[in-house]
Amino acid sequence: QVQLVESGGGLVQPRGSLRLSCAVSGGIASIYLMGWYRQAPGKQRELVATITSGGYTNYGDSVRGRFTISRDNARNTVYLEMSGLKPEDTAVYYCNANSPGWGRPFGYWGQGTQVTVSS
């Protein structure tokens, strides 16, 4: 049973920083693509950032330059360093993992962690 467990969400003031972590368990030897998505109330889920096993990264336009994604392949863990946070970054952040051989178009998802940016 593949499980993704996120941690690190919470309440932060505008212009503050926060670090999210997501650990994947379930006997998986390697993961090609890991990433973060977010969903704010009343909005569709959107891309935050993804990273391949080789370290290639992709960011959503609204976070590029403020957020940094990284991963530890040995631990099957992905991180999201968020800085310069804005109220519009408030959302539930979901971790995602996927590999071509899994046969799952959307991979596996975590349960989500709430990030609230407010003074």
Side-chain angles (χ1 to χ4, degrees):
Q1 180 82 9
V2 176
Q3 287 189 316
L4 283 69
V5 179
E6 299 119 332
S7 60
L11 174 65
V12 62
Q13 292 188 340
R15 296 178 298 281
S17 299
L18 208 58
R19 187 194 199 207
L20 305 182
S21 300
C22 173
V24 182
S25 62
I28 293 178
S30 64
I31 303 168
Y32 173 67
L33 187 69
M34 302 184 79
W36 293 93
Y37 294 76
R38 67 186 183 186
Q39 188 166 18
K43 295 188 176 181
Q44 289 188 330
R45 191 170 296 190
E46 65 174 357
L47 167 72
V48 176
T50 59
I51 183 169
T52 68
S53 55
Y56 180 82
T57 58
N58 183 42
Y59 292 92
D61 289 340
S62 61
V63 307
R64 189 175 292 113
R66 299 187 296 122
F67 292 9
T68 302
I69 190 170
S70 61
R71 63 187 284 175
D72 183 336
N73 290 332
R75 298 177 184 270
N76 281 342
T77 300
V78 63
Y79 306 96
L80 185 69
E81 297 275 0
M82 304 184 290
S83 62
L85 283 161
K86 306 174 182 179
E88 51 263 44
D89 293 316
T90 295
V92 178
Y93 284 69
Y94 295 93
C95 176
N96 179 266
N98 205 353
S99 287
W102 291 355
R104 294 176 65 95
F106 301 104
Y108 292 93
W109 294 91
Q111 79 286 353
T113 186
Q114 177 71 46
V115 172
T116 302
V117 184
S118 174
S119 56

